[in-house]
Amino acid sequence: TPNNDGINDRFIPVLTDREALSVEVFDRWGALVVSLESPEFSWDGCDMAGNLLPGGDYIWQLLLAPGKTRSKTVLHGRVSLVR
């Protein structure tokens, strides 16, 4: 609910033992809406141009750096944007 009330205004993946190399967010039709290469990623419900996106479900994909015993890993999930 990105409405600037300080509660759940941003989607922030929390990692404990690995670093994110990139994060991508897609709409329900598979179109890329956000792509960032930052370990401190957070998403405010806007596209890459800063436009507010409509409420709905979005798919995130996270590329993790190699760990001590693992190669690069891709995680994915769904986040609901409520307006």
Side-chain angles (χ1 to χ4, degrees), residues 26-32 54 57-59:
F26 302 87
D27 67 16
R28 63 181 168 171
W29 297 283
L32 180 67
D57 289 337
Y58 292 82
I59 304 299

Side-chain angles (χ1 to χ4, degrees), residues 6-83:
I7 301 170
N8 294 328
D9 286 334
R10 302 183 84 74
F11 168 65
I12 305 170
V14 177
L15 304 171
T16 57
D17 64 343
R18 309 252 313 262
E19 180 181 348
L21 297 176
S22 67
V23 180
E24 297 174 321
V25 178
F26 302 87
D27 67 16
R28 63 181 168 171
W29 297 283
L32 180 67
V33 295
V34 173
S35 179
L36 294 172
E37 294 182 5
S38 169
E40 297 168 8
F41 167 82
S42 69
W43 181 50
D44 61 359
C46 294
D47 64 15
M48 289 183 273
N51 301 311
L52 294 175
L53 292 167
D57 289 337
Y58 292 82
I59 304 299
W60 55 264
Q61 181 172 288
L62 190 65
L63 176 62
L64 299 177
K68 292 180 182 175
T69 60
R70 300 180 216 149
S71 60
K72 290 181 183 176
T73 304
V74 177
L75 302 176
H76 60 276
R78 184 177 69 191
V79 60
S80 294
L81 177 61
V82 179
R83 295 261 181 221

